[in-house]
C-alpha cells in the first residue's frame, strides 16, 4: 500500500497494491501493520456499509464530543468523497478536500477525527465501506450543510441539479453555527 499526499496533511489517501490477471484481482484493503508503517496507528472498532443511488449526497457528518476517524473505500460504483477540517487550532481550518473514490481506482481516504465527512454518489449505484475509530453515538451526531457558502465545496453536480439528501442532512447547520473542535 502506498500513502499519497493531499493538500491537507492529516488527510491520507491510500493506494493499495493490486494483483490483477485474467481471473480478476486481489488486494489487501486493510492491514494494521502496513498502515502503522505508513503512520496510521488508529484502532478501528466498527465497520459501516452504505448503498446509495446516483445523486444521493450524504453529509457533512461528524460526532462531537466522541469523534470518529474513518477509513473510506468504495466497492461498487463511484463517489466524490469530501472531508472538511473543523479543528480551530489547525492551519487548514475549514479547508476541504474532495477526491473520486471508486471500485475501479480502489483508492481509500483516511479522514481523521476533527473532520466532517460526506460524499456524493456519481454512478448509478455506489456501495461505500468505512471503518471507524469510535462507535456511532447518535446523541453526539452533528451535521453541517453540504452547500454551506462559507465552505464553497465544489461538488460535481450538473448545473441546476440538486442532490438527494435526507431530511436530517437537509436540516444541517451552517458552519458558523456548528459545534467545532478546539
Amino acid at each position: 500500500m502506498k500513502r499519497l499526499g493531499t493538500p491537507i496533511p492529516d488527510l491520507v489517501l491510500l493506494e493499495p497494491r493490486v494483483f490483477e490477471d485474467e481471473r480478476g484481482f486481489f488486494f489487501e484493503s486493510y492491514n494494521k501493520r502496513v498502515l502503522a508503517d505508513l503512520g496510521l496507528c488508529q484502532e478501528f472498532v466498527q465497520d459501516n456499509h452504505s448503498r446509495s443511488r446516483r445523486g444521493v449526497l450524504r453529509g457533512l457528518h461528524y460526532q462531537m464530543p466522541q469523534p470518529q476517524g474513518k477509513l473510506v473505500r468504495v466497492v461498487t460504483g463511484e463517489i466524490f468523497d469530501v472531508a472538511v477540517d473543523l479543528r480551530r487550532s489547525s492551519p487548514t481550518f475549514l479547508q476541504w478536500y474532495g477526491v473520486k473514490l471508486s471500485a475501479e481506482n480502489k483508492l481509500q481516504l483516511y479522514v481523521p477525527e476533527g473532520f466532517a465527512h460526506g460524499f456524493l454518489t456519481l454512478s448509478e449505484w455506489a456501495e461505500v465501506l468505512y471503518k471507524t475509530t469510535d462507535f456511532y453515538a447518535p446523541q453526539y451526531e452533528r451535521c453541517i450543510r453540504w452547500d454551506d457558502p462559507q465552505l464553497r465545496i465544489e461538488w460535481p453536480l450538473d448545473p441546476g441539479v440538486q442532490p438527494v439528501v435526507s431530511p436530517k442532512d437537509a436540516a444541517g447547520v451552517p458552519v458558523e453555527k456548528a459545534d467545532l473542535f478546539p
Side-chain angles (χ1 to χ4, degrees), residues 46 48 50 57-68 70 86 115-119 130 132 134-145 166-173 177-181:
Q46 182 176 318
N48 298 321
S50 74
L57 194 149
R58 297 181 185 268
L60 298 162
H61 302 145
Y62 64 105
Q63 286 187 178
M64 181 179 237
Q66 185 179 314
Q68 296 176 302
K70 297 177 180 177
L86 299 181
F115 283 70
H117 174 256
F119 65 87
Y130 57 99
T132 63
D134 208 337
F135 298 102
Y136 173 65
Q139 70 274 26
Y140 299 136
E141 187 174 39
R142 304 286 187 270
C143 182
I144 291 176
R145 288 194 56 84
S166 71
K168 180 174 66 174
D169 290 354
V173 300
K177 294 183 179 179
D179 295 327
L180 303 176
F181 296 92

Side-chain angles (χ1 to χ4, degrees), residues 16-27:
R17 186 171 173 210
V18 180
F19 301 92
E20 195 164 3
D21 61 25
E22 67 280 350
R23 300 169 298 154
F25 68 83
F26 171 85
F27 70 95

Side-chain angles (χ1 to χ4, degrees), residues 60-121:
L60 298 162
H61 302 145
Y62 64 105
Q63 286 187 178
M64 181 179 237
Q66 185 179 314
Q68 296 176 302
K70 297 177 180 177
L71 181 60
V72 184
R73 71 187 185 104
V74 174
V75 295
T76 301
E78 181 179 44
I79 65 170
F80 183 68
D81 202 46
V82 172
V84 179
D85 190 347
L86 299 181
R87 304 167 300 170
R88 284 189 182 99
S89 61
S90 171
T92 57
F93 177 58
L94 296 185
Q95 290 183 26
W96 65 272
Y97 174 71
V99 63
K100 287 182 179 177
L101 302 180
S102 69
E104 186 175 315
N105 70 23
K106 299 171 186 57
L107 296 174
Q108 298 180 63
L109 183 66
Y110 177 68
V111 180
E113 297 173 356
F115 283 70
H117 174 256
F119 65 87
L120 172 67
T121 305

